[in-house]
Each structure stands twice: as C-alpha cells, then as structure tokens.
Amino acid sequence: MSEIINIAAYKFVTLDELPERRAGLRALSDRLELKGTILLSPEGINCFLAGSREAIDTFLGELTGQPEFAGLEVKESVSDRQPFTRMLVRIKKEIIAFGVEGIQPAKYTSPRVAAKELKRWLDAGRDVVLLDTRNDYEYETGTFSNAIKLDLKDFRHFPEVVAGLPEELKEKEIVSFCTGGIRCEKAAPYLESMGFKKVYQLDGGILKYFEECGGTHYEGECFVFDQRVGLDPELKETETAVCYACQATLSKDDCASPKYVPGQSCPYCYQTGRERGEALGAKRTEELRQLIRPLPGAVPYENRRPMSVPERLDRSKAIDFLIGMKTVHERDDWLSMCAEGRVRMNDEPVAPEQIVRAGMRIELVTPATVEPDVVGNVTVLFEDEHIVVLDKPAPLPMHPCGRFNRNSLQYFLERLYPHLKVRPVHRLDANTSGIVVCAKRRAVARELQQQFEQGEVSKAYLARVQGVPTETEFESRQPISRKPTSAGGRSIDPQGLPAHTRFKLLATHTNGESVLEVNPLTGRTNQIRLHLWDLGLPIVGDSLYLPDVKMGEQQTLAPDDQPMCLRARALSFRHPVSREICEFEGARPDWA
C-alpha cells in the first residue's frame, strides 16, 4: 500500500455561513477519499486528515485558496495505513472546547517561541518552566523533561487546575505546550489573564518540535488522537496503544493480554460484567448524592400538578371533575383554589362552572411549594446499558403523590438520568426500604414486569412484627381487595385478587416482637402488611395496619419517626438481555 500522508492544521479566524462551509468541505473530502475530522466553528477551523499525497495537496490547495485560510500552517507525518475509519465534518461552538469568555485567539495570542529556539534555551539550561496543557493520559505517553503536569482529565478543567498552581510561578518564564499548538492558543492567554507575567506558547506544539529538533529534551512518545496512538520523535508510529475504556497507554505486552479487548477493556481496567456494573453504580451513587443535596423539594418552587379529564367525566363542570378525581381536597378547597386562580388550563384560570372535555389537561398550581423531608440516601447497586438496581431508603415515595413531587425516587432518577426515561418496574411503599430494579428502555421494562407478573422473580423481605407466631414457618393465602379502603389501604376480600405469602420466624425479642423472613409469591398492593395484620402480627411502625385489627391513617412517615420495619432485602431475576440470573442483596437493618 502506498504511504498515507497525515496532516494536522488549524486556524483561528472569524467564520460565518458554517452549514454551507460544512457541506462544501464534506463534498471535497469525500471526492478526494480523505478520512479524519474537520471541526468548524465561529472561531475557526481545525483539521485532522489522512489520505494520499495527491489528495492532501489538492485539499490544501483548495482550502488555502480561500482568503480566510491563507497562511494555514500544516504539520505532516507519514503512516503505512489509514489511521482514521471515517470522515466527519462537524460544526461546534468552539474548535477547541474551553468555555472561558474573553479568550479569543483570532484577536490575541501570547508570544510564540519557535521549536529550535526552545531547544537552544533548554540546551543552555535557561530557567524556563515547561507547562504541559494536555490531558493526563497524553503526558503519561511522553512529555518534555521536568515539565509540569497538571493532571487534567479534560481541557475544560484547565482554569480550575491553574488556580491551584504555586503563586511564585507567576514570576517565572513559562512555555506552554500541547500536541500541535491549538490548546496553547487559549491556555497561554488565559495564564496571562490570571497574572502570569512571562508566558510563551510553543509554536506548532510537540509535533513541530519533533519535526525540527527530534527528541532532545523529550522523554517518550507523543500521543495522537487516531489509530496510531503514539509517534516517536521521527514522527513514526510506535507500538503503543491506548485503552479507550480507561485511557491507559498500553505496551506491546499489554496488547497481547487476553484482558485487552479494543474499545472495551485492558489489563488495567478489566472487570467482569458484575464488577463493571457495581463500579458504575458506586459512581452514580455519588453523583446522585450531589444532585439531591439539598433535597429538591426543600427549595421553594412553583408546583404544577397535571390532571387529565377522563372519559367518565366528559362534559362535566370543572368543579365536578375536580371532586370526581377523589384527591385529598374537598369541594370547598377546590372552590377556594379556583377563586385564587390556581386551577389552570393552558395557563388560564378555570372557573368552577366551566365545562371540561375528556382529554383536557388541567393543572393545579401551588406557588412556593416546600415538600416534607424524606430520606434521600439512595444507593445505586448496579448499572449496565439495560437496567439500574437501587437500594431505596425509607421514608421515600417512589412516585410523585400527595404532598410529594420532587422529593420522590422518580424525580431523583430524572435528575440523575436527564436524557433517559429510567422506569422502576415494580414498587415499594414509601415507608418500605429495599431493592428496586429499574429499566432504561420500555421493552426491557415490559420483559421484567412479565417476570414479576408470572412469579419468576424471587423476593425476600425482612419484617419486625408485634407478637410471636405459633409456628416457625407459616403462610397466608387470603385474597386482597381490588379497590382501596376509605383509609387508602386494602382489605381481605373473598372476592378479591388471589395472594400468597410465606413466612419464616428468624428471632423473637423479650418485648414480644419477632423478626420474620417474608417471601411474597404474588405482588398485590400492601400484601405483606395486610397478611401479617390479618394474622395478628402487625408490622412495627406501620401507621395504617394497627394492632387489634384497627385501621389507622395511610401516611408517609417523617425521617425522625419510628420506621416501619419492613425491608425488601433481596431480589433475584433473569437479566432481560443476557438471561443470566441476577441476585442482589441489601444490608440488614438495625431493627432486624
């Protein structure tokens, strides 16, 4: 195969008509069978391209023939294969993402030092500070001797890392450098703006230094963003590879390891599927803790609760519709809220006598809403591309309801996964803690819900109850009502839905309470609580199913209330895609 010419070129210049430019450059590069990436933005152009000598020369001739691109400086290297897999021409906000207002290389850049001049400075032992502005995995591949490494994960973090540099460096002579020079076009002026008094940028970057000076004063290779990964001081491809999962640079021996799977893993980050899922879960847990601190519902906000008019209330008066929705509000409450303009449709007030039609969306608007506190320390136990497994604390409602909207598990998930609809595929009561499995796609949710409906999911709960059972193992098959009671719970109903729960005694206590292992074989609303209540063993802390077969009030407890001692301790199901058995178990609570 004939040799491939690789070019890197950029220019900061004010550009307009970006869609038209994109179309023209895409047509030109396709015609010349070039591959690589061209970035266009209002601040300029950045190119990484590879192709035949003739194709590259033709491309550059046509590009620099446009006045705005005249004088475009190009860095070349040669390879024996095409290092890119496709051709991309993209429009971006910046050709090098930085995100700092006022840094405009088209208008100002710091003084440049030529490669040969820098070599003379270093040969002479000049007291100059070399500042590597590249990402951490790049400088691990190679950098200038004694260069300062900033431990950058992303160039956007450059300002915050600079803020941590020693104050005395501001008086030093500093040369910033990167691969080809483009990052220093922004890094160096930023350093000047932060009070660094003598800042230069290495003209053409490491690649230009290699071209003109070889590897003197440089240790290792230069990382490049294509399939070559590393170039030596002669601008030839090395045997170094990179793991695109963890960004580790890999030796020839690393690449020969069975743990090296291009694009997925390497000896430094290899994990089983379970390990990867748990590691991602730990990361998500920390992200979520940050997102819900303070609790979203603790910050006053305008709460809009939507209600859709059902077919059965078509052509009814608005007040009759509102009462017919059987919320916690009475008629007088609704009349007052209508008078205050808080009942709205299309953001217009709704009058009590106004006729509504099926399908209309009515909103109840409550300004300056502050919700009751909940326990927010949700733990993500596991995540892959299909499912998320959580350990839900209590009290925490799973869905917006009653006094809770933002202080709910569903809202937390919306904050954690803003671009996904992550759906819990089953539910736990607000006052019940434990394992919850969620799906990232509707089809996955359906498959998991079928497993629950068909009794294929193994569920194990812990419950602390008032009383001591007469047997160590027992069960209940009492059917459960389809409709809620006036208190919001369920009742034993001979005509209700079949339900089956098994119990095993684990421990008894001197205060007359017992700890049980509970296995619900069906999944009816309040099934465990109701079956135990019917057996004369109400759950400790349950505010609804009280001792002596009394019915209390259905409510979400406060975090400092006595907890309801019911926990979904373990869950086992078939993975919806791999079909492997997945088993998850949470910690045993103090009361157990």
Side-chain angles (χ1 to χ4, degrees):
M1 181 178 177
S2 59
E3 66 179 16
I4 297 293
I5 306 300
N6 302 270
I7 63 167
Y10 70 88
K11 185 172 184 179
F12 285 98
V13 59
T14 301
L15 297 180
D16 57 8
E17 300 179 346
L18 297 182
E20 293 80 3
R21 292 181 184 273
R22 177 185 182 278
L25 288 170
R26 182 61 202 244
L28 175 61
S29 55
D30 285 349
R31 174 167 57 85
L32 297 173
E33 298 183 349
L34 297 175
K35 291 183 179 180
T37 301
I38 300 174
L39 301 181
L40 291 168
S41 87
E43 70 175 6
I45 188 171
N46 191 13
C47 305
F48 299 92
L49 296 173
S52 68
R53 173 86 270 171
E54 181 182 1
I56 290 293
D57 288 345
T58 301
F59 176 87
L60 291 174
E62 295 199 23
L63 182 65
T64 57
Q66 302 173 45
E68 58 269 37
F69 298 124
L72 181 78
E73 184 175 344
V74 180
K75 288 172 283 296
E76 286 191 3
S77 61
V78 176
S79 62
D80 58 6
R81 61 190 175 96
Q82 173 59 260
F84 299 105
T85 59
R86 56 181 176 171
M87 184 67 223
L88 297 174
V89 184
R90 291 177 171 170
I91 296 174
K92 308 277 281 186
K93 183 178 179 181
E94 302 174 272
I95 56 173
I96 184 68
F98 195 52
V100 177
E101 296 293 333
I103 304 298
Q104 299 176 298
K107 295 182 178 179
Y108 175 79
T109 58
S110 300
R112 287 171 163 77
V113 57
K116 291 181 179 179
E117 181 67 14
L118 176 62
K119 181 179 180 298
R120 281 194 289 269
W121 289 359
L122 298 177
D123 288 343
R126 183 165 171 165
D127 184 17
V128 61
V129 174
L130 296 171
L131 188 66
D132 195 330
T133 66
R134 300 172 302 156
N135 297 336
D136 51 8
Y137 57 87
E138 295 177 76
Y139 64 64
E140 289 299 333
T141 306
T143 190
F144 281 100
S145 302
N146 301 317
I148 292 180
K149 304 170 183 178
L150 297 180
D151 196 26
L152 278 172
K153 303 300 180 186
D154 185 278
F155 188 53
R156 282 184 173 274
H157 299 157
F158 184 78
E160 62 191 73
V161 174
V162 166
L165 289 175
E167 192 70 20
E168 57 267 25
L169 281 183
K170 292 184 176 180
E171 304 297 326
K172 293 281 190 178
E173 196 170 39
I174 291 178
V175 176
S176 69
F177 66 92
C178 58
T179 306
I182 188 169
R183 279 174 278 192
C184 290
E185 300 272 14
K186 293 189 174 183
Y190 180 79
L191 289 168
E192 290 187 79
S193 75
M194 297 306 294
F196 291 80
K197 296 178 180 178
K198 302 175 184 178
V199 181
Y200 299 91
Q201 59 189 87
L202 176 58
D203 194 19
I206 298 168
L207 296 180
K208 190 68 173 178
Y209 187 91
F210 279 1
E211 180 183 332
E212 296 187 354
C213 307
T216 307
H217 305 295
Y218 193 92
E219 298 175 358
E221 309 162 9
C222 180
F223 184 97
V224 290
F225 290 90
D226 57 52
Q227 291 183 359
R228 295 174 297 169
V229 180
L231 298 181
D232 65 18
E234 295 181 357
L235 295 176
K236 293 180 180 179
E237 181 179 359
T238 68
E239 293 185 339
T240 298
V242 67
C243 173
Y244 289 98
C246 71
Q247 302 299 331
T249 52
L250 307 176
S251 67
K252 184 178 180 180
D253 289 342
D254 291 332
C255 294
S257 168
K259 294 181 179 179
Y260 176 54
V261 181
Q264 296 183 33
S265 66
C266 75
Y268 302 101
C269 67
Y270 178 81
Q271 294 175 310
T272 64
R274 183 65 178 243
E275 289 171 338
R276 287 195 300 272
E278 290 175 350
L280 180 54
K283 178 183 176 185
R284 294 291 195 200
T285 298
E286 183 56 33
E287 290 174 0
L288 182 57
R289 301 283 166 88
Q290 296 297 324
L291 286 170
I292 62 172
R293 187 182 298 135
L295 287 169
V299 181
Y301 70 99
E302 183 181 77
N303 187 3
R304 291 178 171 260
R305 284 287 178 85
M307 298 174 285
S308 294
V309 179
E311 190 67 38
R312 63 184 173 83
L313 295 174
D314 185 39
R315 298 181 182 275
S316 64
K317 294 179 180 179
I319 187 63
D320 294 330
F321 153 68
L322 295 169
I323 295 170
M325 294 302 288
K326 298 181 179 178
T327 66
V328 295
H329 302 297
E330 303 291 341
R331 179 185 181 88
D332 289 345
D333 298 329
W334 284 118
L335 289 172
S336 295
M337 289 186 283
C338 285
E340 294 167 1
R342 290 176 50 201
V343 181
R344 306 179 73 84
M345 181 171 61
N346 298 327
D347 222 21
E348 295 293 331
V350 174
E353 302 300 312
Q354 184 174 331
I355 301 300
V356 297
R357 301 298 307 273
M360 283 183 171
R361 176 187 169 98
I362 311 293
E363 288 184 320
L364 173 60
V365 181
T366 305
T369 296
V370 176
E371 301 176 20
D373 281 346
V374 295
V375 177
N377 58 329
V378 177
T379 300
V380 183
L381 300 175
F382 176 88
E383 179 183 345
D384 64 16
E385 59 268 42
H386 308 290
I387 63 173
V388 178
V389 181
L390 312 168
D391 192 338
K392 182 188 88 70
L396 175 65
M398 289 194 62
H399 305 284
C401 57
R403 300 171 298 158
F404 301 90
N405 177 31
R406 294 187 175 182
N407 283 354
S408 65
L409 178 64
Q410 185 63 64
Y411 188 82
F412 292 178
L413 291 174
E414 290 170 4
R415 294 284 297 273
L416 184 59
Y417 302 97
H419 305 300
L420 285 175
K421 181 68 173 178
V422 176
R423 306 170 176 84
V425 300
H426 59 119
R427 68 181 300 275
L428 298 178
D429 295 328
N431 298 329
T432 302
S433 68
I435 309 299
V436 176
V437 61
C438 308
K440 289 184 172 181
R441 301 194 313 277
R442 192 180 299 275
V444 171
R446 279 198 303 268
E447 205 284 333
L448 285 169
Q449 285 164 350
Q450 286 177 0
Q451 290 187 45
F452 278 91
E453 292 166 2
Q454 295 168 9
E456 298 175 0
V457 176
S458 175
K459 295 171 282 185
Y461 285 68
L462 290 172
R464 184 166 179 138
V465 299
Q466 302 181 48
V468 179
T470 58
E471 301 175 89
T472 56
E473 295 189 23
F474 54 104
E475 67 179 13
S476 174
R477 291 180 177 269
Q478 291 281 43
I480 294 176
S481 62
R482 288 176 167 81
K483 295 182 179 180
T485 65
S486 58
R490 291 293 193 275
S491 61
I492 301 299
D493 180 0
Q495 307 303 316
L497 297 167
H500 186 191
T501 313
R502 289 177 178 159
F503 305 95
K504 181 179 180 180
L505 178 64
L506 298 180
T508 59
H509 296 270
T510 56
N511 64 354
E513 296 175 355
S514 306
V515 177
L516 309 177
E517 181 179 288
V518 184
N519 299 110
L521 303 183
T522 53
R524 310 304 178 199
T525 301
N526 293 175
Q527 177 176 315
I528 296 173
R529 298 163 63 192
L530 183 55
H531 275 175
L532 285 168
W533 184 60
D534 179 64
L535 290 166
L537 299 167
I539 293 175
V540 174
D542 195 332
S543 62
L544 181 62
Y545 302 103
L546 303 177
D548 301 324
V549 200
K550 293 180 181 178
M551 186 72 78
E553 180 183 351
Q554 179 85 296
Q555 61 179 336
T556 299
L557 300 171
D560 54 357
D561 287 340
Q562 178 187 17
M564 186 175 79
C565 298
L566 180 62
R567 174 162 174 75
R569 182 185 62 85
L571 197 66
S572 176
F573 57 92
R574 277 184 293 103
H575 192 282
V577 176
S578 71
R579 314 308 293 172
E580 295 178 356
I581 297 298
C582 299
E583 297 180 340
F584 295 94
E585 184 172 334
R588 183 180 292 266
D590 292 340
W591 51 256

